[in-house]
Amino acid sequence: MSKAKRLTGGALLLALIALTFYLLLRNQPISQLLDVLGKIKPGYVVLGLGLMFVFVGSEAMCSKLILGRLGHPLPYRRCLSFSFVGFYVSSITPSATGGQPAQIYYMSKSGVPAAHGALNMMMIAVCYQVTVLLYAIGAAIAMPGMISAMGPGMGLLLLYGAVVMLALTAGMLCFMFLPNAARRLMNGLLNLGVRLRLVRNRAAAQEKLERQMAEYRSGAECFKKNAGLVPVLLGLNVVQLTALFLVPFVVYKAFGLSGHGAMELVGVQALLTLSTSSLPLPGAVGATEGGFVTLFALFFGASLVTPAVLVSRGISFYAFLLLSGFVTLGIHFAAKGWSGEKNTGAAAVKLNEAVPAA
């Protein structure tokens, strides 16, 4: 991601944060807010931060396992650094579009060819999206009343998020396991884009499409030759998302509240994540806070839901945005020394040799 894009994304994020806090706090007396926040149990806040380390660390373990199968046995701490970079850059770019390219860049600094880095991120994305969908579907089935209680605005966001996530997941799986059908579909869309003058250079677009198709075919081969890796990755994604979705429950307990179980709040957070994660906003800032106030008022009540969203998002987003920003800065300077490292000849490993059977 270029410096101009980083600055633009950062400026947009700061503007969204300022607007969000203004809307949240405009009718909230600061003295009352501070009084409420002063009574929360700090141990639960620490537990929430620990859950976020599990969230980031689970993705790092996925990268370690996948890259190891591709012939790049990197230490876990290096994979953890990639995940912190991904968290930070995803948070400051619309729809988290910059996170994966940034991770691939720093993987290349560690001797991982860009094609293998892209394959790693694609496999993680597929497993992550499948897990989010399954979590949200389970929540919708278990709590049908919550869907109707969401109201028309949040209901439309949930529908939008579900359609986008389903389309992306189905498209990725189609590219991986039905390449001929995917090629016909994409060529048809490419021809339509040319006719509508949305695509100006058909040859360049076709070349890019073929490169992407090759990456997805490589992903399919890796999944097929390492079938035992798939349930492990899905299991790690369940752990990752459960840690993230438990943060509102930890905040609920931090306020000394009771009467609702963990699975209720986890389910609602899963629906909120599906509703907002596909929005073209850095870190889904604004939409997530607004959705939290709407959905979690049932659990926290009108008087506590604003302090609750500040603490919950403070744990799951703002604190880790700052932490991952500092980590990314350190990694940027440390990566200068990675380039000279030997990585077990990984750069010379061909893909058909780098995906051994499990």
Side-chain angles (χ1 to χ4, degrees):
M1 185 173 60
S2 68
K3 184 178 180 180
K5 288 184 177 180
R6 287 199 303 271
L7 291 174
T8 301
L12 177 58
L13 177 62
L14 290 174
L16 285 171
I17 291 174
L19 178 60
T20 299
F21 273 71
Y22 167 74
L23 293 175
L24 284 174
L25 301 177
R26 59 180 175 174
N27 297 319
Q28 181 79 38
I30 298 300
S31 58
Q32 181 183 351
L33 176 64
L34 293 176
D35 181 59
V36 171
L37 293 177
K39 294 178 180 178
I40 64 175
K41 301 175 182 178
Y44 283 105
V45 175
V46 175
L47 176 58
L49 292 171
L51 288 172
M52 288 306 300
F53 275 104
V54 173
F55 175 79
V56 176
S58 296
E59 182 190 286
M61 182 56 69
C62 288
S63 288
K64 178 173 174 57
L65 292 174
I66 295 170
L67 292 175
R69 296 296 178 93
L70 294 173
H72 313 288
L74 297 178
Y76 177 74
R77 64 181 181 277
R78 184 66 57 84
C79 296
L80 186 61
S81 70
F82 300 149
S83 293
F84 271 109
V85 168
F87 187 98
Y88 174 71
V89 182
S90 294
S91 298
I92 63 172
T93 52
S95 302
T97 52
Q100 291 188 0
Q103 287 176 276
I104 294 168
Y105 170 78
Y106 285 106
M107 286 177 192
S108 70
K109 291 290 187 179
S110 288
V112 178
H116 288 189
L119 176 57
N120 170 72
M121 298 314 304
M122 183 196 68
M123 294 175 70
I124 290 176
V126 170
C127 293
Y128 183 89
Q129 289 173 189
V130 168
T131 308
V132 170
L133 284 170
L134 291 177
Y135 233 125
I137 291 170
I141 294 173
M143 300 183 297
M146 180 55 64
I147 303 298
S148 58
M150 292 177 74
M154 285 302 302
L156 284 174
L157 276 181
L158 178 62
L159 178 62
Y160 167 80
V163 169
V164 171
M165 189 74 75
L166 278 170
L168 288 174
T169 305
M172 294 175 80
L173 292 174
C174 181
F175 268 60
M176 292 174 69
F177 298 106
L178 298 172
N180 292 331
R183 180 175 283 104
R184 288 194 295 270
L185 174 61
M186 294 310 297
N187 281 331
L189 292 175
L190 190 59
N191 291 333
L192 178 62
V194 171
R195 286 198 295 270
L196 295 176
R197 297 186 179 182
L198 298 174
V199 177
R200 296 184 179 181
N201 189 333
R202 195 190 192 289
Q206 183 71 40
E207 182 181 355
K208 183 178 180 181
L209 174 62
E210 290 299 327
R211 287 199 304 268
Q212 291 177 336
M213 291 289 294
E215 289 179 5
Y216 281 106
R217 287 196 300 271
S218 299
E221 286 300 312
C222 191
F223 274 133
K224 290 175 182 177
K225 293 184 178 182
N226 296 276
L229 182 61
V230 177
V232 175
L233 295 177
L234 290 172
L236 283 169
N237 275 274
V238 170
V239 172
Q240 179 185 25
L241 286 169
T242 301
L244 177 66
F245 296 163
L246 274 171
V247 170
F249 177 71
V250 168
V251 174
Y252 181 75
K253 301 304 290 184
F255 280 96
L257 300 174
S258 61
H260 295 281
M263 293 312 298
E264 291 181 87
L265 279 82
V266 165
V268 172
Q269 182 60 53
L271 294 173
L272 178 58
T273 297
L274 180 61
S275 301
T276 60
S277 59
S278 299
L279 294 174
L281 299 171
V285 171
T288 299
E289 286 80 359
F292 190 104
V293 170
T294 299
L295 298 182
F296 283 93
L298 172 66
F299 305 100
F300 290 94
S303 62
L304 289 180
V305 71
T306 296
V309 69
L310 294 177
V311 177
S312 182
R313 283 286 279 174
I315 292 172
S316 64
F317 181 73
Y318 296 107
F320 262 70
L321 176 63
L322 290 174
L323 175 61
S324 61
F326 284 116
V327 172
T328 300
L329 182 62
I331 291 168
H332 180 73
F333 291 108
K336 296 178 181 179
W338 296 352
S339 301
E341 294 180 355
K342 299 293 183 180
N343 189 24
T344 65
V349 177
K350 295 181 180 179
L351 185 60
N352 60 355
E353 298 171 342
V355 286

